[in-house]
Amino acid sequence: MEMRTTTQLANFLQICIDKKSHVNAKLLHAHILRKGLFTDTFLSNRLIELYHKCGLLTTARQVFDKMPNKNLFSWNAILSAHCNTGDIENAHKLFDKMPERNAVSWNTLISVLVRAGYEQKALSLYNNMNHSGFLPTNFTLASVFSACGALLELRYGCVCHAVANKIGLDKNIYVGNALLGMYAKCGDVENAVKAFEELPQVNEVSFTAIVGALGDTDHVDEAFDMFRSMHRSGIRIDAISLSSILGVCARSGINESGGSSVNGQQLHGLTIRLGLEKDLHLSNSLLDMYAKCGDMNSAEMVFDSLLEVSVVSWNVMIGGYGQKYQIKKAIEFMQKMQRFGFEPDEVTYINMLSACLKSGDTETAHGIFNKMASPSLSSWNALLSGYSQIEKHKEALRLFINMQFRNVKGDRTTFAVLSSSCASMGLLEGGRQIHAASVKNLCDDDIYVASGLIGMYAKCDKINVAKCIFDRIKDQDDVVCWNAMIAGLSLNTLDKEAFVLFKNMLENNMLPTQFSYATVLSSCVKLSSISQGRQIHARALKDEILNDVIVGSALIDMYSKCGHVDEARLFFDQMSIKNTITWNEMIHGYAQNGHGSEGVALFEEMVNKSGEKPDAITFIAVLTACSHSGLIDYGIKIFNSMLQEHGVEPISDHYTCLIDSLGRAGRFNEIEVILDKMPYTNDPILWEVLLSSCRVHLNVNLARRAADELFRMNPCNSAPYVLLANMYSSMGRWDDVRNIRELMIKKQAVKDPGYSWFEQKDEI
């Protein structure tokens, strides 16, 4: 009879568990107590489970504590109850007290630690599990791979992958998806694709993870191909997978305005066809995609059609208009947001700050910042970064001082931005104070802070301090610090050392970036070392980075400045992608090497056929080409077309090129007309160029005018004294020569000795 009662009670308890009926549960609990059945471990375990499912943790714990006979299921049930309600501290204490454990016990605590963001503790617990002789299950490994991905622990993830292979769990769908996600988060797209391909069966989770991995690593076309494959294979496309591929469109849309927007529109159509347009998260992804692609008209249409909006929706719109420098629209949306009862959050304010600063409206940005009751560190950093980007470096430093007064501790972003500002101003003392503050806040070991400090000290002529910081960096597996050090050496004319460091970088199995190649090619130029330049060219070819427009432009510059303009043109013609910088380098290369006619012809091709718009640098290059080829009248025509046809305001360098061209031809009357009209009179290079032309053509009056201007600007510069003395000596005016020499001694203007060099077997 008692057996039948126990079974009936167990069945009733199961019904209450299924229906989460805590009122009936208490009636059953009272009946169990009245009948003296509380000693029945099975019924008590069901009560713990019941109260846990009804969210009554305290009652469940009371049942557990009063149980006279606990078994492993009892311990696991109450452990699960504490874990599921987020009571991790008491869950840990329970786990430590357990008289025995099984795989369920370990998995329960490991998974909750990962979900709660305690990934490092989860991995430590996993190690203890292994040492205790328990084999991981598919649930264990899924949690462990998730932890490795969150911590970017690629090496440890690979070790766990080997364990999964050894015990035969690598083909399990849950483990396989978690493994794929781990490789994706760690940026190892090659192994992510391999893990995907090795899955015996794939589902929407697998496809979503691989699409995200490809998109995050800029394999945009492959990401779209994978999504199309998912669609063709008949796997259910849900809101999450669509949000993932829209994220790929959004990220690529920042750099490519056309193709990404078209793909995004197709995905928008698919969203409507699948009836998912009411999903708020997916709608926000659509908004973000259109905003990042710069299509704010479509974004606003989507926004206006939403049945439900969130703070995220408003933030995306405000951020999108900020990206387009439409500050009035951004402010309008923030005001609308508040009228509709939505309170701006931190992201709202950061988006508004960014919008104002990108538009150069520092006053409004400050006003918004001051309205924030308690600005977070992210808000401070947003304002700091904005000031730095628009080159208001003094304001950035003042803001940091204000941070100190308000006891706001900086982080890696703070100190990296401030180091950059100090470097831009050449402010060594300020940079040292930032360095000291980063040490105090334990941020100096961070790779980005250290790289910023290396750049700051290098620009302040303290390259030895920069070397010390570089040598002390513990984790030199990041290319950022190598790039900063190579650039610092090159900046301080230690180009041979920069080249050696680049080779060391390769020996350490570091993959150079476009910045690495551009910097070391610049060093080859300054060393006039064509052999080393060709070595870099070969390495760039091996690394398949020659299609990068920055590397290609640097190679053209290197070949041109080393006197191999034909090789530069050969590479120029082979480039699949060119921009204005590429055309400028090639035109300038022709000008430097005395091929002015070819430079002018290339300029005509650029303007009339390429679709690229010439900028100020383009006109310096083509005017130099005209000067070197004696195309004076054509040069004047190009100069006059700058503002009228191309909207480029002439600057001092353009006037210098024009005066050089006219001076070589001895057309000094035209030069004097230009000198009287031009707005730039304090450029020493312009007057040196004029003085040099006057010396050749023995124009004493204009030469004296140019020399007087140079004496006024810098009395210690030896160039005007030497040029003027040489002109007088060629005319036999020895008294004037002597006067110039005496004046030079009086002003303590010392001429630097000239030197030349040649290259033989990689030695200078």
Side-chain angles (χ1 to χ4, degrees), residues 578-585 587 602-622 641-649 654:
K578 302 182 183 76
N579 63 7
T580 302
I581 296 170
T582 319
W583 287 89
N584 290 351
E585 292 291 2
I587 295 168
L602 193 63
F603 170 77
E604 292 286 354
E605 185 181 337
M606 176 188 179
V607 171
N608 298 322
K609 296 180 182 178
S610 76
E612 292 291 340
K613 190 177 179 182
D615 60 11
I617 306 298
T618 316
F619 286 104
I620 292 172
V622 71
S641 75
M642 285 177 62
L643 190 58
Q644 296 169 5
E645 296 178 23
H646 304 284
V648 177
E649 183 79 39
H654 300 117

Side-chain angles (χ1 to χ4, degrees), residues 488-508:
L489 290 167
S490 179
L491 187 68
N492 285 267
T493 64
L494 298 169
D495 297 292
K496 193 171 183 180
E497 289 87 339
F499 189 83
V500 170
L501 189 63
F502 180 81
K503 290 205 290 188
N504 291 343
M505 179 181 173
L506 298 177
E507 289 164 6
N508 279 273

Side-chain angles (χ1 to χ4, degrees), residues 504-516:
N504 291 343
M505 179 181 173
L506 298 177
E507 289 164 6
N508 279 273
N509 297 318
M510 300 293 297
L511 185 65
T513 64
Q514 57 185 32
F515 184 80
S516 319

Side-chain angles (χ1 to χ4, degrees), residues 45 66 86 153 222 292 326 384 387 397 415 437 495 513 708 733:
N45 286 344
K66 290 177 181 178
E153 279 280 3
E222 292 92 330
K292 295 276 174 61
Q326 295 181 7
L384 277 173
Y387 278 136
L397 289 175
F415 297 113
D495 297 292
T513 64
D708 288 341
R733 295 172 57 167

